[in-house]
Amino acid sequence: MAKIIVVTSGKGGVGKTTSAAAIATGLALRGNKTVVIDFDVGLRNLDLIMGCERRVVYDLVNVIQGEAGLNQALIRDKRVDNLHILPASQTRDKDALSVEGVEKVLETLSKDFDFIICDSPAGIERGAQLAMYFADAAIVVTNPEVSSVRDSDRMLGLLASKTRRAERGDDPIQEHLLITRYNPSRVDLGDMLNLEDIREILAIDLIGLIPESEAVLRASNQGVPVTHDATSDAGQAYTDTVARLLGEDVPLRFHEYQKKSLLSRMFGGGRR
Amino acid sequence: MSLKVDRDSMAFTFKGGMLPMTVMELTSADPERIRDQLAGKLSQSPAFFQHTPVVLSVEKLDEPHLALERICAVCRAHKLLPVAVRGGPEPVKQSAWALGLGWFPPQEASRPRALESVAPAEPESALEVADELETPPGVTSGGRIYRGTVRSGQQVTAPEGDLVVVGAVNAGAEVLAAGSVHVYGALRGRALAGIHGDAMASIFCRELRAELLSVAGNYKRLEDIDPRLLGTTVQVRLDGDQLGITSLS
């Protein structure tokens, strides 16, 4: 049985898709058979971030509506063998998804995969609720910013009441906090909320902290998940996050402001 | 003609008010069934039925023609005062108006805030499953203890007695009690004590950051609160018709 993990946030633009792609890639690189599903019907992006946009034929909606088989719609990642992508439809809207349809797709995928990563759309409407409904664990992506924290808080409330686990009274969904776009120097200046404040408000376990990094934008535009960029801080931070998801105890990095040494300033430093 | 109105000559002023209101969410339109259930509730908690104003929500019903008059009569016989109807098709709206009741549009489906929608709010960690919600018998009569964080969009209510929250109340969340509200954590959301008009009710919290504080309908917004009190441990109680906030630290 696969573990179903939803990557969600409430607020848009915080890095859900980037994180879903990076974490799915990380899990696959560690040898887990992983599929990442784009639930953002009508505004699909995951295929771009994963660099497979030219290979999309069928999508999630086609599968749910019986117009294509699951194997026809699954796209095998070019870089990692045991990673698959199930894209969203760009032409339909979210009403094309049904609870029963999603359940059937997830059940079928569960037999073959170790991890199913659901990339949730922004908002708290139907698409987001369907993405989280069958999840065993949730990664709540939050930026160090008040509105993002409040939306994540709202999302955590929904995760605790609007999921199948909550409705059936099963063990509650595992909630993990992933802070993205963290910039320690701006935190020191007081421009951004600090790590401790976010943890205190949301009161859930921290699974990872991704520093604000040029590598992320570069990765998105190139269609290569940032996890592949092992020299970048963001790539390493996602690798750490994946290790923690797999139960390893990895110390937190990139949360403190490192003053540049004289030498690195003279020679322009490494890439960030 | 002057646009200026002399204050003394005014018979009334309009004021915005936020009053706590019990919503009676009807799942049956049969007055007999409503009567039976009310009779049962009345014997359980007679304190609640004291000409309590209620809003009849008919959103969950699919009946174009409701026996609204009979339902209202049943409510009144049990000391509930229907003051308005929420939701329902046009004929229901018309008959509500004909009966002298107000009508509210149906609530957005995306914000379920019925009292019972909060009750199953799940704990955030497995450790707290057992004692997430408990009503200690005989300790606070009809009070309620909630363990865990009350999150944005959630509403936790103690319709009788005190509400104790062991955890934080986050921005955008709402905690309400007929008696006092105690928050053993940061209070960042809204807290309403004395929702049935108990002027002796108070609000206590570890760390004051509240968006709104209200005791028996008298409220203060975050903007009205002395900034020096923010972040401190306080009690809030009614002093005349003004809310008084005093530090406990």
Side-chain angles (χ1 to χ4, degrees):
Chain A
M1 279 297 284
K3 182 170 184 177
I4 306 176
I5 303 176
V6 60
V7 179
T8 186
S9 71
K11 195 173 186 309
V14 296
K16 277 184 298 297
T17 302
T18 300
S19 298
I23 289 168
T25 303
L27 285 168
L29 284 170
R30 296 280 307 259
N32 300 286
K33 213 169 170 220
T34 306
V35 56
V36 53
I37 310 179
D38 192 350
F39 272 83
D40 205 347
V41 176
L43 284 172
R44 74 170 204 226
N45 277 160
L46 181 70
D47 52 328
L48 291 170
I49 308 276
M50 297 293 299
C52 65
E53 72 279 8
R54 296 181 190 180
R55 294 192 286 144
V56 176
V57 183
Y58 296 108
D59 54 53
L60 177 62
V61 171
N62 293 136
V63 176
I64 284 177
Q65 301 197 335
E67 297 154 2
L70 197 48
N71 287 328
Q72 289 175 286
L74 282 177
I75 302 173
R76 181 189 286 267
D77 189 71
K78 275 185 288 194
R79 297 174 195 88
V80 196
D81 268 351
N82 41 10
L83 177 59
H84 287 76
I85 300 110
L86 183 54
S89 171
Q90 181 72 342
T91 49
R92 315 288 183 94
D93 64 33
K94 57 190 184 305
D95 298 329
L97 296 179
S98 66
V99 181
E100 298 75 23
V102 171
E103 182 177 22
K104 215 174 140 203
V105 169
L106 292 176
E107 248 174 32
T108 316
L109 290 172
S110 274
K111 292 177 194 141
D112 293 336
F113 288 89
D114 301 319
F115 285 97
I116 302 176
I117 309 294
C118 302
D119 178 24
S120 171
I124 53 172
E125 310 302 326
R126 185 178 167 79
Q129 296 209 5
L130 271 174
M132 69 158 92
Y133 188 73
F134 298 100
D136 302 309
I139 294 176
V140 180
V141 183
T142 306
N143 285 170
E145 181 213 341
V146 197
S147 58
S148 174
V149 172
R150 184 181 294 193
D151 289 359
S152 294
D153 190 46
R154 175 91 171 101
M155 218 61 218
L156 285 165
L158 293 176
L159 283 166
S161 60
K162 299 274 180 194
T163 52
R164 183 164 70 173
R165 282 180 173 269
E167 285 174 9
R168 286 185 176 175
D170 295 346
D171 288 345
I173 218 167
Q174 297 166 13
E175 298 161 331
H176 304 293
L177 173 62
L178 178 65
I179 300 178
T180 55
R181 297 210 171 140
Y182 197 78
N183 183 333
S185 66
R186 297 193 66 188
V187 169
D188 282 359
L189 289 171
D191 292 350
M192 278 187 178
L193 286 180
N194 75 38
L195 179 62
E196 286 316 311
D197 289 345
I198 303 172
R199 285 175 90 168
E200 195 203 314
I201 293 173
L202 295 178
I204 57 169
D205 136 65
L206 179 73
I207 193 92
L209 180 135
I210 314 299
E212 189 166 52
S213 165
E214 290 159 15
V216 172
L217 185 64
R218 185 168 57 232
S220 299
N221 285 330
Q222 290 175 351
V224 183
V226 71
T227 326
H228 286 296
D229 188 353
T231 57
S232 70
D233 47 1
Q236 291 170 16
Y238 275 115
T239 304
D240 288 358
T241 304
V242 168
R244 288 185 202 106
L245 258 184
L246 293 171
E248 290 165 28
D249 194 9
V250 184
L252 201 62
R253 295 194 271 175
F254 312 114
H255 59 294
E256 275 162 358
Y257 180 47
Q258 308 280 332
K259 279 215 174 100
K260 277 188 179 169
S261 71
L262 184 64
L263 271 179
S264 71
R265 258 191 253 168
M266 281 170 68
F267 296 108
R271 59 187 236 214
R272 278 179 55 103
Chain B
M1 283 283 283
S2 159
L3 283 176
K4 262 193 177 168
V5 181
D6 185 5
R7 273 207 157 257
D8 297 331
S9 70
M10 288 197 301
F12 63 84
T13 51
F14 278 116
K15 282 190 169 175
M18 292 216 350
L19 301 173
M21 189 66 79
T22 304
V23 175
M24 196 167 159
E25 179 91 61
L26 297 183
T27 46
S28 162
D30 180 2
E32 292 309 312
R33 284 184 57 196
I34 296 170
R35 181 197 306 278
D36 290 347
Q37 199 181 337
L38 274 176
K41 290 252 190 234
L42 181 61
S43 57
Q44 278 170 19
S45 45
F48 182 69
F49 295 89
Q50 289 175 339
H51 302 291
T52 310
V54 293
V55 174
L56 298 173
S57 167
V58 300
E59 288 166 69
K60 296 213 170 136
L61 296 180
D62 193 20
E63 304 251 346
H65 297 286
L66 215 55
L68 204 53
E69 195 167 359
R70 283 181 62 204
I71 294 173
C72 288
V74 167
C75 288
R76 289 197 192 98
H78 291 85
K79 291 196 175 175
L80 288 183
L81 283 184
V83 292
V85 173
R86 191 172 74 192
E90 190 62 27
V92 170
K93 186 171 162 182
Q94 294 299 337
S95 52
W97 285 342
L99 287 167
L101 301 176
W103 186 84
F104 290 108
Q107 231 175 2
E108 285 172 63
S110 59
R111 291 193 64 193
R113 291 176 44 162
L115 298 187
E116 64 267 34
S117 73
V118 172
E122 289 293 319
E124 61 218 48
S125 86
L127 289 171
E128 292 168 353
V129 171
D131 50 7
E132 167 74 6
L133 288 174
E134 55 187 44
T135 306
V139 179
T140 47
S141 63
R144 183 170 170 192
I145 298 184
Y146 182 95
R147 292 176 205 276
T149 309
V150 187
R151 300 196 178 277
S152 183
Q154 289 183 328
Q155 193 186 42
V156 175
T157 310
E160 299 166 56
D162 287 6
L163 173 66
V164 178
V165 177
V166 188
V169 177
N170 277 353
E174 202 167 74
V175 287
L176 309 97
S180 297
V181 174
H182 311 253
V183 181
Y184 292 93
L187 172 55
R188 306 183 184 100
R190 301 166 160 239
L192 293 88
I195 55 173
H196 300 317
D198 180 1
M200 299 304 286
S202 303
I203 299 168
F204 306 87
C205 68
R206 268 271 174 80
E207 190 186 325
L208 178 70
R209 307 250 173 227
E211 288 170 349
L212 185 96
L213 296 164
S214 164
V215 175
N218 296 275
Y219 64 85
K220 265 197 170 149
R221 299 166 303 169
L222 182 53
E223 226 179 60
D224 312 323
I225 298 171
D226 182 350
R228 282 170 301 182
L229 289 165
L230 294 182
T232 66
T233 303
V234 298
Q235 65 169 325
V236 182
R237 57 183 172 176
L238 209 50
D239 181 14
D241 60 355
Q242 282 281 316
L243 277 195
I245 306 176
T246 43
S247 174
L248 289 174
S249 44

